[in-house]
């Protein structure tokens, strides 16, 4: 627990220190986390007997996040269909690679496993990067990103504490034996509290449409989906017979263990923010 707390504080210090220098640093942090997560996901797939293009897929995934941001920055306006075009280009690149680097009987399996990694990690996290430019002021977009991270990640903390104190009924004993329904409820309530407090006390830095009451309402599905995201990763790790996706973050694990709760919540939050505008 002590290692987990220390790592959490250190990671928050890195995030806040980086984005305080320039909001643009947020895109690079998201790209770095995405690369590490995708790399570890491909590693889990390899332990399941799959053979994705690990280096190519992870590199293309990084381009999926950085490419749209800098292309639109160069043109100084949104480019219609840019995201879909970049996904299409990545598929073309993978298909070209398959023709010369895999046996015929392995090509479809390699294509499928590589694309799963691309869609599940960088494509989903592109929505977090897109929050940075959701309003003309990148500082406001940055606050929405920080709000999402805090709301999603503190759900995990709340679920852990409530689960230890009140947990009785197992949520998914075959996938994640430590999770309980009581912990999940506590985690969601924690998300609501954190989401409301963040928007209330730092309201001047958020876009005008993001009021504390809306922050509290949106925090509920964000918290619930962060739990689902964690369960999905647990299923992958169990299939690969691994406890953690990696081991370079003391008390937490790997990049996938760090980002799991943000994968399903990023597109959801982006959609909800858009509806409030």
């Amino acid at each position: 627990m002590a290692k987990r707390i220390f790592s959490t504080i250190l990671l928050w210090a890195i995030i806040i220190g980086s984005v305080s220098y320039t909001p643009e640093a947020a895109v690079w942090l998201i790209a770095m986390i995405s690369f590490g997560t995708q790399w570890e996901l491909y590693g889990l797939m390899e332990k399941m007997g799959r053979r994705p293009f690990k280096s190519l897929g992870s590199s293309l995934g990084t381009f999926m996040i950085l490419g749209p941001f800098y292309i639109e920055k160069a043109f100084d306006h949104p480019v219609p269909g840019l995201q879909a075009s970049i996904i299409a280009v990545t598929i073309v690149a993978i298909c070209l690679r398959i023709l010369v680097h895999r046996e015929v009987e392995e090509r479809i399996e390699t294509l499928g496993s590589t694309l799963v990694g691309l869609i599940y990690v960088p494509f989903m996290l592109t929505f977090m990067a897109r929050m940075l430019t959701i309003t003309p002021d990148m500082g406001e977009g940055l606050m929405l990103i920080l709000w999402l991270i805090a709301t999603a990640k503190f759900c995990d903390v709340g679920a852990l504490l409530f689960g230890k104190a009140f947990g009785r009924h197992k949520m998914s004993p075959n996938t994640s034996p430590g999770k309980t329904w009581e912990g999940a409820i506590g985690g969601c309530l924690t998300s609501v509290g954190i989401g409301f407090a963040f928007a209330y006390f730092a309201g001047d830095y958020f876009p005008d449409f993001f009021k504390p009451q809306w922050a509290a309402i949106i925090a509920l599905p964000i918290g619930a989906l962060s739990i689902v995201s964690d369960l999905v990763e647990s299923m992958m790790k169990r299939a690969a017979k691994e406890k953690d996706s990696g081991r370079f973050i003391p008390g937490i694990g790997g990049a996938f263990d760090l980002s799991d709760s943000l994968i399903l919540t990023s597109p959801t939050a982006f959609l909800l923010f858009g509806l409030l505008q």
Side-chain angles (χ1 to χ4, degrees):
M1 178 65 75
K3 288 183 178 180
R4 186 183 186 93
I5 293 173
F6 174 77
S7 295
T8 300
I9 294 173
L10 180 61
L11 288 168
W12 271 105
I14 292 172
I15 292 171
I16 294 173
S18 299
V19 300
S20 295
Y21 178 72
T22 170
E24 192 172 315
V27 178
W28 282 92
L29 285 174
I30 294 168
M32 290 168 60
I33 292 171
S34 173
F35 181 89
T37 301
Q38 193 177 357
W39 185 271
E40 291 175 0
L41 174 56
Y42 286 148
L44 293 175
M45 288 182 177
E46 287 175 340
K47 291 175 181 177
M48 299 176 204
R50 307 290 187 265
R51 294 187 64 198
F53 287 132
K54 197 172 184 179
S55 298
L56 177 63
S58 300
S59 299
L60 290 172
T62 304
F63 175 67
M64 285 176 67
I65 292 176
L66 295 177
F69 179 79
Y70 283 102
I71 290 172
E72 292 188 342
K73 184 178 180 180
F75 284 95
D76 199 29
H77 63 78
V79 179
L82 178 61
Q83 195 69 50
S85 298
I86 287 178
I87 293 173
V89 168
T90 62
I91 295 174
V92 170
I94 293 167
C95 288
L96 291 174
R97 176 76 179 274
I98 284 174
L99 292 178
V100 294
H101 287 282
R102 284 288 187 269
E103 299 296 330
V104 174
E105 60 272 12
E106 296 179 351
R107 288 175 181 170
I108 297 302
E109 185 276 331
T110 293
L111 175 64
S113 58
T114 305
L115 289 179
V116 165
L118 278 166
I119 299 301
Y120 189 69
V121 180
F123 172 70
M124 300 293 271
L125 292 180
T126 56
F127 290 94
M128 185 187 296
R130 290 171 65 186
M131 290 177 199
L132 195 62
T133 54
I134 200 169
T135 69
D137 184 352
M138 282 204 298
E140 293 179 346
L142 176 60
M143 289 301 293
L144 292 175
I145 293 173
L146 294 176
W147 178 90
L148 170 63
I149 295 172
T151 304
K153 299 308 293 184
F154 274 95
C155 178
D156 185 44
V157 176
L160 179 64
L161 295 177
F162 275 80
K164 284 184 177 295
F166 308 107
R168 297 293 183 274
H169 301 88
K170 298 293 184 182
M171 188 179 196
S172 183
N174 295 327
T175 302
S176 186
K179 286 184 170 53
T180 63
W181 285 105
E182 292 83 359
I185 293 171
C188 289
L189 292 176
T190 301
S191 289
V192 171
I194 291 293
F196 176 85
F198 200 161
Y200 181 82
F201 290 106
D204 292 341
Y205 300 97
F206 282 98
D208 290 338
F209 66 79
F210 198 66
K211 304 300 183 184
Q213 61 269 27
W214 282 117
I217 293 171
I218 291 175
L220 186 58
I222 294 301
L225 282 175
S226 72
I227 295 172
V228 176
S229 290
D230 184 68
L231 286 172
V232 171
E233 191 213 1
S234 294
M235 287 189 287
M236 294 178 182
K237 290 189 293 187
R238 184 168 289 273
K241 297 180 172 58
E242 287 289 329
K243 183 179 184 298
D244 296 314
S245 62
R247 294 175 177 82
F248 73 95
I249 308 176
I252 294 178
F256 201 175
D257 299 302
L258 178 67
S259 66
D260 57 354
S261 59
L262 301 174
I263 292 174
L264 298 185
T265 56
S266 292
T268 305
F270 184 81
L271 172 62
L272 294 173
F273 294 155
L275 292 175
L276 290 178
Q277 285 182 294

